[in-house]
Amino acid sequence: MSSPITQFEELALSPPLLQTLKEVGYESPSPIQAACIPHLLAGHDLIGQAQTGTGKTAAFALPLLERLDLTNHQPQVLVLTPTRELAIQVAEAFQSYARHLPGFHVLPIYGGQSMTIQLRHLRRGAHVVVGTPGRVMDHLRRETLVLDGLRSVVLDEADEMLRMGFIDDVDWILERTPPERQVALFSATMPEPIRRVAHRHLRDPQEVKIQTRTATVSTVQQRYWQVSGLHKLDALNRILEVEDMDAALVFVRTKTAATELAERLEARGYSCAALHGDMTQALRERTVDQLKNNSVDIVVATDVAARGLDVQRISHVINYDIPYDAEAYIHRIGRTGRAGRAGTAILFVAPREMRMLRVIEKATRQPITPMQPPTQAVIAGHRLNRFKQKILDTMAAQDLGFFHDVVNQIEQEQAISAQDIAAALAYLIQRERPLQAPEAASVKITDSRPTQETRHRAESETRPTQRRDRAKESTDAAMMRYRLEVGHQHGATPQNIVGAIANEAGIDSRYIGRIEIHEDYSTVDLPDGMSAEIFEHLKKVRVRQCPLNISRLGPSEPERARRRPAGTGERVARSPKSGATEREPRPTLRRKRETDS
Ligand code: AMP
């Protein structure tokens, strides 16, 4: 990293904010934060050339929170964003960073949300308002949003606002802000119209652009997978199942994420350890030694902790969280392909972060190719091969005389063939981790963010019967019925239920089946086999401000009929636990070591 500032403590932030940063697990300021925070704290106007994924939200949120007068309940900060998703995300970031600022209020306002609710919240007062230009203009015209006390304006993703045709609205809004306010403009690119807005409304702005030096990294093969949020863990699991790995270094952004991900992988049977800046030097050294001497195969690390790491057996670098800039990326992937060996780097990129991918490609002067996500069938093929190899290795390495006798005995006592016995034993060993691909597509892995398509579907598909037929058409997967704790009385509609589930669980709306809305709850049919993570996440997802608190009711009606064998009573639904464990992948690396020993 190029910035001389390496600690948040050097940035003159107050103890409550420093405490928050400790809690959220940020180890050090990202380059854009190190460069912007001092200017914004000093009250300067600023032009920041930065894309999503660089940490730009904290780069403006932290200093602007620092400058707030919490006793004044008028809006003091206005952030304009191109989309409602970003408005919500930025508002959540403010809320999270302000957790130790008592009485702090942030309000997202965007089109599509009820005006009544927004008016009520605006009357109550908010220190920070984050909104899309159209809705902010509405409120300014109605005088329900008054900007007399405004101290700072942030234009977030200004080039996106230009692209979406909002730039005149931004101009209009800026004209209605007090002349002495501070303006921070963030944009990934600086086309002329953005420069014009900057010229018209910013006073002597400081310009921050993170320079990226180009570098060549020829021995490392680089691929990316477009995936985000909760799906990253599943994607990582798939990679660990199919890639031919010796050891892997997985990069995440925070200390908390390092610990959590290492624990999750450990729970799946991988020999894994975390490496982050909160660990003592001795512990860090021990972890690196464990990686070197094969007692740990995967290390989940933050950038700071992995600086300079030199372990030849690292065959893969997985960028689980995208780095802040190309320089960090180059450093990360330089941890593999050491000593002339071949190395592989895989980058997880959310759709919003695709720009960052292009920046990295430019800096490394190398293409990063999209990877073909391994299908269940490919995964099953790998498992089967490993299983066969394990049998051969065992035969080569172990004295099996006693077990020969056991098989002979069974053969004679029961008059069955050795082949049947072997098949039963294979089943016993592998039943927890099936060697066959699941027959029906279960939950389709997609990105968790709303796409145009899912948004459109959520808007257009409302009738339950229509939904049911579509779901049936698009998949033969077994359907489960779920209960959601939102109903008519909360204002829930099929659209917002579809929207919430499609966007938050990444379940393609085609796979969302019948929805019934009752007075105080609803039911929805979804493909069987939802992962425990998505299920837990969906409990907290809100529709009309109410958490869904999703719970399983059992197989959906048609499914129940299908499962019920003729002449028997109703079958008990498969327990979610067993469903989830059956789908657990079998770890490659761990097993490889077991075989070695
Ligand atoms: P942004 O570019 O603002 O969309 O931020 C991207 C992600 O980086 C968010 O998930 C932040 O929580 C995370 N992030 C921002 N700053 C830091 C930091 N200094 N250390 C670790 N993670 C960070």
Side-chain angles (χ1 to χ4, degrees):
M1 315 219 169
S2 55
S3 168
I5 295 181
T6 56
Q7 302 287 322
F8 279 110
E9 285 74 10
E10 296 170 62
L11 285 169
L13 295 169
S14 59
L17 290 180
L18 290 176
Q19 175 62 24
T20 301
L21 293 168
K22 232 190 207 126
E23 287 167 11
V24 293
Y26 293 1
E27 238 168 19
S28 56
S30 72
I32 191 87
Q33 291 162 1
C36 290
I37 292 175
H39 292 313
L40 291 177
L41 277 177
H44 296 141
D45 283 3
L46 180 130
I47 297 177
Q49 207 167 336
Q51 41 265 308
T52 297
T54 50
K56 69 175 158 54
T57 316
F60 61 78
L62 293 170
L64 298 186
L65 281 171
E66 192 68 70
R67 283 163 51 83
L68 280 184
D69 172 5
L70 289 169
T71 59
N72 173 0
H73 290 269
Q74 284 182 309
Q76 294 164 54
V77 175
L78 172 68
V79 184
L80 294 177
T81 67
T83 63
R84 54 182 274 176
E85 287 79 23
L86 186 60
I88 295 168
Q89 209 174 302
V90 169
E92 283 173 356
F94 266 98
Q95 193 63 59
S96 159
Y97 298 137
R99 65 180 73 172
H100 295 300
L101 303 180
F104 170 78
H105 278 296
V106 55
L107 179 64
I109 53 174
Y110 46 83
Q113 192 196 32
S114 140
M115 232 355 175
T116 330
I117 294 178
Q118 283 177 10
L119 290 173
R120 193 173 345 118
H121 286 295
L122 279 168
R123 268 197 300 272
R124 207 184 294 158
H127 302 102
V128 176
V129 172
V130 187
T132 48
R135 191 50 74 100
V136 168
M137 284 171 82
D138 273 357
H139 283 290
L140 288 175
R141 283 201 198 97
R142 293 166 176 235
E143 298 184 1
T144 43
L145 173 62
V146 179
L147 299 181
D148 295 348
L150 201 70
R151 300 167 72 171
S152 309
V153 184
V154 178
L155 310 179
D156 197 6
E157 300 198 353
D159 49 352
E160 273 300 294
M161 293 202 269
L162 171 69
R163 202 181 58 79
M164 294 171 74
F166 296 147
I167 206 70
D168 292 341
D169 299 352
V170 170
D171 218 46
W172 188 94
I173 294 167
L174 283 170
E175 272 165 18
R176 281 153 186 80
T177 56
E180 67 284 3
R181 82 284 182 261
Q182 171 186 40
V183 184
L185 183 157
F186 288 89
S187 193
T189 55
M190 281 293 159
E192 192 42 42
I194 303 276
R195 293 231 161 253
R196 273 202 300 275
V197 168
H199 186 70
R200 199 164 330 134
H201 297 284
L202 276 64
R203 284 161 307 166
D204 197 13
Q206 305 292 318
E207 294 214 21
V208 170
K209 185 177 174 187
I210 304 301
Q211 296 294 341
T212 44
R213 271 177 273 137
T214 53
T216 343
V217 271
S218 56
T219 54
V220 181
Q221 186 223 16
Q222 300 168 66
R223 288 176 284 161
Y224 77 87
W225 184 340
Q226 198 172 324
V227 59
S228 62
L230 291 163
H231 303 297
K232 291 204 269 191
L233 184 59
D234 183 59
L236 178 60
N237 266 310
R238 289 181 187 222
I239 288 169
L240 295 177
E241 286 249 9
V242 301
E243 289 281 319
D244 189 14
M245 282 187 188
D246 191 354
L249 184 59
V250 182
F251 278 99
V252 292
R253 286 205 159 171
T254 65
K255 298 178 260 194
T256 341
T259 313
E260 280 177 14
L261 185 57
E263 280 168 6
R264 285 185 160 164
L265 294 175
E266 189 106 55
R268 283 172 159 80
Y270 293 106
S271 51
C272 184
L275 188 68
H276 59 70
D278 263 5
M279 291 160 58
T280 59
Q281 186 59 27
L283 196 54
R284 281 202 243 173
E285 281 169 16
R286 214 182 78 199
T287 305
V288 175
D289 285 343
Q290 285 175 326
L291 185 64
K292 282 185 179 155
N293 67 26
N294 295 6
S295 50
V296 154
D297 292 324
I298 305 173
V299 164
V300 186
T302 56
D303 290 279
V304 173
R307 206 166 282 167
L309 191 76
D310 186 5
V311 179
Q312 292 188 5
R313 65 182 282 259
I314 296 173
S315 58
H316 283 67
V317 164
I318 317 280
N319 293 281
Y320 193 85
D321 292 335
I322 197 163
Y324 302 116
D325 57 13
E327 208 166 323
Y329 176 81
I330 291 165
H331 178 268
R332 285 180 178 190
I333 71 167
R335 302 309 97 210
T336 182
R338 314 278 301 171
R341 298 187 183 198
T344 298
I346 296 174
L347 173 65
F348 288 172
V349 199
R352 292 179 60 83
E353 293 161 347
M354 285 305 282
R355 262 193 174 144
M356 177 64 106
L357 173 78
R358 303 293 166 227
V359 169
I360 293 172
E361 280 185 319
K362 228 166 120 187
T364 56
R365 294 203 207 95
Q366 277 183 4
I368 305 178
T369 50
M371 66 180 279
Q372 279 302 325
T375 61
Q376 290 291 357
V378 169
I379 292 173
H382 278 264
R383 284 185 196 170
L384 187 57
N385 287 340
R386 286 198 307 266
F387 181 63
K388 289 177 189 165
Q389 190 57 47
K390 191 170 169 182
I391 294 174
L392 296 178
D393 292 347
T394 310
M395 283 168 66
Q398 301 291 332
D399 175 4
L400 297 173
F402 170 75
F403 294 97
H404 273 286
D405 294 345
V406 173
V407 173
N408 276 338
Q409 266 177 32
I410 304 175
E411 252 184 314
Q412 279 154 25
E413 286 167 10
Q414 307 296 332
I416 47 176
S417 71
Q419 199 174 25
D420 285 342
I421 297 168
L425 290 173
Y427 167 77
L428 281 179
I429 294 168
Q430 288 300 133
R431 70 176 159 189
E432 295 283 295
R433 293 184 178 123
L435 297 173
Q436 289 158 294
E439 276 165 32
S442 57
V443 176
K444 193 177 167 237
I445 313 283
T446 60
D447 183 69
S448 61
R449 285 171 180 283
T451 59
Q452 280 306 100
E453 194 199 15
T454 51
R455 270 201 294 271
H456 175 72
R457 281 191 208 287
E459 277 152 23
S460 62
E461 292 177 13
T462 55
R463 282 177 299 141
T465 42
Q466 193 184 338
R467 298 212 48 75
R468 180 186 49 198
D469 293 346
R470 250 181 175 291
K472 243 177 96 190
E473 243 171 56
S474 44
T475 174
D476 276 341
M479 298 296 275
M480 274 283 159
R481 180 149 301 173
Y482 292 85
R483 178 184 162 111
L484 312 173
E485 300 305 325
V486 289
H488 284 305
Q489 73 180 46
H490 309 102
T493 62
Q495 295 102 303
N496 48 37
I497 289 179
V498 172
I501 294 176
N503 292 344
E504 296 289 339
I507 299 177
D508 191 309
S509 69
R510 275 175 302 159
Y511 296 97
I512 301 175
R514 184 182 181 82
I515 294 174
E516 283 173 15
I517 305 207
H518 300 266
E519 191 46 33
D520 58 352
Y521 74 99
S522 308
T523 62
V524 57
D525 292 350
L526 297 172
D528 192 6
M530 184 191 303
S531 75
E533 258 116 359
I534 292 184
F535 184 70
E536 283 309 310
H537 179 64
L538 274 182
K539 282 189 183 165
K540 287 178 242 139
V541 167
R542 285 165 184 268
V543 161
R544 297 276 179 204
Q545 312 297 330
C546 302
L548 292 180
N549 263 329
I550 190 168
S551 55
R552 278 185 182 82
L553 292 175
S556 64
E557 280 305 325
E559 179 60 20
R560 237 179 265 184
R562 191 162 74 89
R563 287 189 183 190
R564 203 179 300 142
T568 63
E570 198 168 287
R571 271 209 191 158
V572 182
R574 223 190 307 160
S575 91
K577 190 105 209 304
S578 68
T581 16
E582 269 179 13
R583 282 174 210 284
E584 286 271 288
R586 185 171 63 173
T588 330
L589 300 167
R590 160 71 83 185
R591 209 191 43 262
K592 195 164 127 234
R593 262 221 341 278
E594 279 166 358
T595 316
D596 293 346
S597 60

